[in-house]
Amino acid sequence: MIKKVIIDPVTRIEGHAKITIYLDDTGQVSDARFHVTEFRGFEKFCEGRPLWEMPGITARICGICPVSHLLASAKAGDRILAVTIPKAAAKLRRLMNLGQIIQSHALSFFHLSAPDLLLGMDSDPQKRNVFGLIAAEPELARGGIRLRQFGQEIIEQLGGRKIHPAWAVPGGVREALSQEGRTHIHNRIPEARTIVLDALGRFKSLLKNYDKEAQTFGNFPSLFMGLVTPEGLWENYDGHIRFVDSAGNIIADKLDPTHYQEFIGEAVQPDSYLKSPYYRPLGYPDQSSHCRLDSGIYRVGPLARLNICSHIGTPLADAELREFRDRGKGTVTSSFFYHYARLIEILASIERIEILLDDADLLSNRLRADAGINQLEGVGVSEAPRGTLFHHYQVDENGLIQKVNLVIATGQNNLAMNRTVAQIARHFIHGSEIPEGMLNRVEAGIRAFDPCLSCSTHAAGQMPLHIQLVGAAGNLINEVWRN
């Protein structure tokens, strides 16, 4: 008789999802699945809209990562206009994307995952949240708030608002950075750098307490994908695609991201609205092959970006990267270390911002290349906090959208997230009586990826956590509610 445990919804992630854990007759986990239960609609209802509106529309896909969609959309528009945007516009877009990485990573680490890491996976769920963290670790919590605020202020100084800035457009950007804005950002850098360095030290000191989690939270062979510069440096806005395997071998490099359909396939699963992209040359991983070195499962995001790059190119972040890589044999394969990678990327972003602020182009008024519709198709690619983001548009001669395809970072991690929840469940869950802390570890495995389900799906309202243990005949064996 197969029984199942349902976690619905998964808590402390952006959006709603559920996890089903299947138990066999002996109470051992036979399988586990991560389901996205909300429908995604942006690709369809953008049809018929003018190309020029797309950055402003798609920025509203999500309130956490609007800049990511804004920039990928504007880059798709650049392709359709067939223009090279001014240097100042490209550098300003980079600056905004670095601010986006900081604010989003700070939210993920300090607000969503730190309650588990600082208060403990088995701590009281009524206190294992951001408010409990504020009570127990006020300085760390305050630092996280200030760090996220720093990233949001960069976005605001450029785009006029912290959320949904309609600033990047096909051909460039609307406005330059003011001298006052430049000074304001520069003055905030020392505090931001101190906060993230303190957080890195604190996280590394905690690792000895989470050895089991580091070994079992998505620790399996896979590919890793992301953008790098032509020299192989860490990249967040431009560059080409690189794939590496779990041994650190580069298996594909210098791939043109606008030709993504040549190397990324997109599959669907009957129990989720989230697509399941895979590395096309190795094929879609079935149940028996999805953890093999030669399967098409790959991961994106901060862990992947640190695994694929040769180095970051800034002194503090490169020193942290060297220490980070000592955790693996060339490649860090445990998804638990997504947390670690986020902190390193925050530090790298702060260092890159400090360098960019000294560039005179940031104050230039040459911000936009004017052109009409010169191509009927365009792909824009950028690194969102959660991973590589693709916007693919087809338009008619008047620039009206005919078709949209969005390949979201969370979707690209979908196969890896399913593999992760199954691995954690098999290690920690034995028998039908399952402690709350064990279930929280399954959820925490998903939180390590920091999935952004609003980028993929859309729903309204708030649902409590509802866990059911159900027999094969449909009989309810156990039930737990958590608001």
Side-chain angles (χ1 to χ4, degrees):
M1 177 183 295
I2 296 179
K3 304 171 183 177
K4 61 183 178 180
V5 178
I6 300 174
I7 305 175
D8 183 11
V10 181
T11 56
R12 278 187 283 129
I13 62 171
E14 206 297 313
H16 294 149
K18 74 175 183 179
I19 294 170
T20 303
I21 303 167
Y22 298 91
L23 309 177
D24 62 20
D25 286 336
T26 66
Q28 302 302 305
V29 173
S30 61
D31 197 9
R33 298 284 301 159
F34 175 67
H35 315 277
V36 175
T37 55
E38 307 156 1
F39 176 68
R40 177 184 179 194
F42 260 84
E43 290 169 319
K44 194 65 180 175
F45 66 66
C46 284
E47 293 177 6
R49 307 302 305 180
L51 169 69
W52 313 99
E53 294 182 355
M54 289 299 289
I57 291 173
T58 56
R60 285 161 173 78
I61 288 176
C62 177
I64 303 300
C65 40
V67 169
S68 305
H69 293 285
L70 177 77
L71 297 181
S73 180
K75 291 182 75 176
D78 299 341
R79 290 277 178 172
I80 291 172
L81 301 187
V83 298
T84 299
I85 70 172
K87 289 182 179 180
K91 291 174 182 178
L92 288 165
R93 286 182 183 180
R94 280 186 176 275
L95 181 60
M96 182 177 273
N97 204 36
L98 291 168
Q100 163 71 3
I101 289 171
I102 291 171
Q103 73 89 10
S104 180
H105 281 358
L107 173 68
S108 175
F109 181 81
F110 291 93
H111 295 178
L112 303 182
S113 292
D116 290 329
L117 301 172
L118 273 297
L119 304 180
M121 296 280 180
D122 298 297
S123 59
D124 182 356
Q126 300 299 321
K127 297 180 180 178
R128 195 178 57 224
N129 51 48
V130 68
F131 299 107
L133 184 68
I134 290 170
E137 300 277 354
E139 287 303 315
L140 184 137
R142 186 179 295 109
I145 292 169
R146 292 285 290 169
L147 193 58
R148 184 169 188 234
Q149 182 188 55
F150 173 60
Q152 288 179 315
E153 286 179 352
I154 294 171
I155 296 168
E156 184 179 35
Q157 291 291 339
L158 291 165
R161 62 177 77 174
K162 296 177 181 178
I163 301 174
H164 307 319
W167 172 76
V169 293
V173 300
R174 295 185 187 276
E175 294 182 78
L177 177 66
S178 68
Q179 182 61 58
E180 294 77 12
R182 183 181 185 179
T183 301
H184 178 80
I185 295 169
H186 189 273
N187 290 341
R188 290 291 310 272
I189 286 176
E191 179 194 31
R193 183 169 50 231
T194 298
I195 291 169
V196 72
L197 286 171
D198 288 347
L200 271 162
R202 186 65 182 278
F203 178 80
K204 288 184 285 187
S205 73
L206 291 169
L207 287 177
K208 62 182 180 295
N209 301 327
Y210 291 102
D211 184 63
K212 287 185 178 179
E213 286 77 8
Q215 293 299 318
T216 57
F217 275 38
N219 191 12
F220 52 83
S222 78
L223 304 178
F224 297 90
M225 187 203 83
L227 294 173
V228 293
T229 70
E231 299 77 28
L233 269 70
W234 179 79
E235 181 56 281
N236 64 87
Y237 171 75
D238 215 344
H240 60 253
I241 294 288
R242 172 180 287 179
F243 283 87
V244 304
D245 64 17
S246 294
N249 302 307
I250 298 174
I251 66 165
D253 201 11
K254 300 188 185 305
L255 299 175
D256 185 344
T258 65
H259 297 161
Y260 73 96
Q261 290 176 318
E262 295 177 3
F263 50 86
I264 293 178
E266 297 181 69
V268 294
Q269 298 169 337
D271 57 1
S272 179
Y273 284 115
L274 193 60
K275 291 189 289 189
S276 299
Y278 58 95
Y279 181 55
R280 189 181 290 276
L282 294 182
Y284 183 76
D286 60 25
Q287 187 65 23
S288 62
S289 71
H290 71 319
C291 196
R292 286 175 16 199
L293 284 170
D294 59 351
S295 82
I297 184 172
Y298 68 94
R299 282 176 270 187
V300 296
L303 181 67
R305 287 189 289 258
L306 295 193
N307 277 332
I308 67 169
C309 72
S310 60
H311 57 292
I312 291 173
T314 58
L316 294 177
D318 272 329
E320 292 291 344
L321 179 62
R322 288 189 291 271
E323 185 176 349
F324 172 82
R325 285 180 169 168
D326 287 341
R327 309 279 172 180
K329 296 179 179 179
T331 301
V332 179
T333 58
S334 172
S335 294
F336 183 81
F337 290 110
Y338 267 101
H339 304 303
Y340 195 170
R342 280 187 195 95
L343 293 174
I344 295 174
E345 286 202 325
I346 292 174
L347 179 59
S349 296
I350 293 169
E351 290 186 287
R352 288 280 182 92
I353 288 167
E354 190 167 25
I355 294 169
L356 259 177
L357 289 177
D358 290 331
D359 194 317
D361 281 343
L362 291 191
L363 302 178
S364 171
N365 289 319
R366 295 182 180 273
L367 301 175
R368 191 166 178 178
D370 293 320
I373 303 300
N374 290 306
Q375 305 284 350
L376 299 182
E377 191 168 5
V379 177
V381 185
S382 186
E383 285 290 340
R386 292 153 186 84
T388 318
L389 173 64
F390 299 82
H391 276 226
H392 183 181
Y393 303 157
Q394 295 177 17
V395 302
D396 66 12
E397 295 287 351
N398 297 314
L400 297 181
I401 296 291
Q402 303 299 296
K403 186 177 180 181
V404 174
N405 187 40
L406 306 178
V407 185
I408 309 297
T410 294
Q412 293 173 82
N413 279 330
N414 191 20
L415 293 172
M417 288 190 291
N418 275 286
R419 179 74 185 94
T420 294
V421 295
Q423 184 182 53
I424 296 171
R426 289 190 181 105
H427 185 84
F428 286 102
I429 294 177
H430 305 283
S432 58
E433 293 299 324
I434 305 170
E436 193 277 338
M438 297 298 100
L439 291 175
N440 183 51
R441 282 173 172 80
V442 177
E443 290 189 70
I446 293 298
R447 286 193 286 270
F449 289 88
D450 189 26
C452 187
L453 304 180
S454 289
C455 289
S456 309
T457 58
H458 303 278
Q462 182 177 2
M463 296 177 288
L465 175 64
H466 185 198
I467 305 169
Q468 289 183 321
L469 184 63
V470 183
N475 56 308
L476 184 63
I477 297 174
N478 199 357
E479 186 173 32
V480 177
W481 293 86
R482 186 167 78 209
N483 293 318

